[in-house]
């Protein structure tokens, strides 16, 4: 499925076929092989997983469709039900066990994807460590996931978030 989060940001949910599940650590990424239709060539792009490892039968990716790169355009132009070739997981940017420190997550734009996976996993595991997300976006129309963040903050006393904008409107 493709969910429009803002004018430019899309959340793509992939359901795995073969293999039917993927074991990964929160924060890791996958490689997506993208076919460049007219030229019959393909290229590989890496995307951090925004999904929870407990939902290993489906993978959630974030794309900025407003960027000029052809990878997002190629992936997002396919209709729902189209098969994509993915591999992974990759990367060492993932949660490390350390219950003695407060956690600070800092990201901008769609760079929230690996942080989202990490925070959601910690909250799902009833982690009691204090954790704060500092997330930067451009302007008010670029805000997404705000309801989910507020719900997390309301339900988990150890979670807070600070949303900051680089080009805020007058009322921000």
């Amino acid at each position: 499925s493709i969910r429009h989060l803002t004018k430019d940001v899309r959340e793509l949910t992939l359901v795995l076929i073969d293999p039917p599940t993927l074991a990964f650590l929160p924060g890791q990424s996958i490689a997506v092989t993208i076919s460049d239709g007219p030229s019959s060539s393909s290229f590989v792009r890496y995307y951090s997983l925004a999904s929870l490892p407990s939902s290993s039968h489906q993978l959630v990716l974030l794309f900025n469709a407003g960027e000029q790169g052809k990878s997002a355009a190629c992936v997002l132009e396919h209709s729902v039900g189209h098969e994509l070739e993915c591999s992974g997981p990759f990367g060492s940017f993932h949660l490390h066990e350390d219950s003695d420190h407060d956690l600070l997550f800092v990201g901008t734009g769609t760079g929230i994807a690996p942080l989202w996976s990490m925070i959601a996993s910690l909250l799902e595991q009833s982690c009691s460590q204090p954790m704060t997300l500092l997330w930067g976006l451009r302007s008010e129309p670029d805000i997404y996931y705000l309801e989910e963040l507020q719900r997390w903050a309301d339900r988990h006393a150890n979670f807070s978030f600070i949303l900051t904008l680089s080009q805020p409107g007058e009322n921000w």
Side-chain angles (χ1 to χ4, degrees):
S1 67
I2 299 174
R3 187 172 133 199
H4 293 243
L5 301 176
T6 70
K7 178 175 126 318
D8 293 330
V9 177
R10 307 291 181 267
E11 179 187 77
L12 176 66
T13 301
L14 304 173
V15 176
L16 295 174
I17 298 171
D18 184 24
T21 62
L22 176 69
F24 63 92
L25 298 171
Q28 287 190 299
S29 62
I30 60 166
V32 179
T33 301
I34 300 167
S35 174
D36 188 8
S39 69
S40 298
S41 64
S42 61
F43 54 96
V44 175
R45 291 293 184 264
Y46 291 84
Y47 295 97
S48 294
L49 294 164
S51 42
L52 284 161
S54 61
S55 298
S56 60
H57 66 286
Q58 64 181 18
L59 305 176
V60 177
L61 310 175
L62 294 176
F63 288 89
N64 187 332
E67 293 176 353
Q68 297 303 313
K70 65 180 181 178
S71 59
C74 288
V75 170
L76 295 171
E77 75 184 13
H78 293 297
S79 60
V80 172
H82 181 84
E83 291 185 18
L84 294 174
E85 181 182 333
C86 302
S87 59
F90 299 103
S92 59
F93 180 63
H94 57 81
L95 285 172
H96 299 273
E97 298 287 328
D98 185 1
S99 59
D100 294 335
H101 294 92
D102 293 0
L103 300 172
L104 175 63
F105 300 90
V106 181
T108 60
T110 57
I112 195 173
L115 308 178
W116 193 263
S117 179
M118 292 177 191
I119 295 167
S121 294
L122 288 168
L123 295 176
E124 181 182 66
Q125 297 166 15
S126 300
C127 172
S128 61
Q129 283 174 269
M131 60 184 102
T132 302
L133 169 65
L134 176 57
W135 186 26
L137 295 166
R138 228 175 245 123
S139 61
E140 289 92 333
D142 298 315
I143 297 172
Y144 58 97
Y145 285 165
L146 186 58
E147 290 178 17
E148 292 93 334
L149 289 169
Q150 192 57 59
R151 192 168 30 255
W152 284 351
D154 291 343
R155 291 182 182 164
H156 303 278
N158 62 318
F159 174 76
S160 63
F161 68 95
I162 300 167
L163 181 60
T164 185
L165 303 177
S166 62
Q167 299 170 12
E170 290 180 22
N171 296 325
W172 182 257

